[in-house]
Amino acid sequence: QLQASGGGLVQAGGSLRLSCAASGRTFGSYAMGWFRQAPGKEREFVAAISSSGRSTYYADSVKGRFTISRDNAKNTVFLQMNSLKPEDTAVYYCAADPRPVPPRGDDYLYWGQGTQVTVSS
């Protein structure tokens, strides 16, 4: 089970930190990802991290502004979002997959509920 939190309303240029807490004792073996879906748009990839945390991947649209990290001791993955833009407004979802390397696209086995991020101009 995945529980995302940390969303909210922020002005452009501001920051938010999303968290995704996972239940289970095998979190450290799962690749994790963050996705988002804006109104009227398809879900899109944001960032992913390998099970060890040594490898990270980002969408071009967030590279240099967002940072994904994980704390395997706390079964939690984070998404630090800086320099937020109005176009970052979306529902953000975390996802987990039992493979050590993040899968391509949205081919993740488990999905959490979303958390709303709204960036005002």
Side-chain angles (χ1 to χ4, degrees), residues 10-15 36 60-63 65-66 81-90 92 117-121:
V10 64
Q11 288 189 331
S15 297
R36 67 187 181 187
D60 288 343
S61 59
V62 307
K63 205 170 291 184
R65 299 188 298 122
F66 291 11
M81 305 187 295
N82 299 329
S83 303
L84 282 162
K85 305 175 181 179
E87 50 264 43
D88 294 319
T89 296
Y92 283 71
V117 171
T118 303
V119 184
S120 63
S121 57

Side-chain angles (χ1 to χ4, degrees), residues 1-4 19-28 30-32 70-77 94-97 110 112:
Q1 189 173 9
L2 302 173
Q3 182 74 34
S19 299
C20 177
S23 59
R25 292 176 288 181
T26 58
F27 175 80
Y30 279 61
M32 300 294 295
R70 65 190 297 158
D71 185 338
N72 285 348
K74 296 183 178 179
N75 283 14
T76 303
V77 63
C94 62
D97 192 87
Y110 302 108

Side-chain angles (χ1 to χ4, degrees), residues 1 4 13-14 18 21 27 29 31 41-42 44-45 53 57 63 65 67 78 91 94 99 103 106 109 114:
Q1 189 173 9
L18 304 185
F27 175 80
S29 64
K41 295 187 177 181
E42 293 190 354
E44 64 174 358
F45 168 76
Y57 311 83
K63 205 170 291 184
R65 299 188 298 122
T67 302
F78 305 98
V91 178
C94 62
R99 289 168 281 187
D106 61 357
L109 188 59

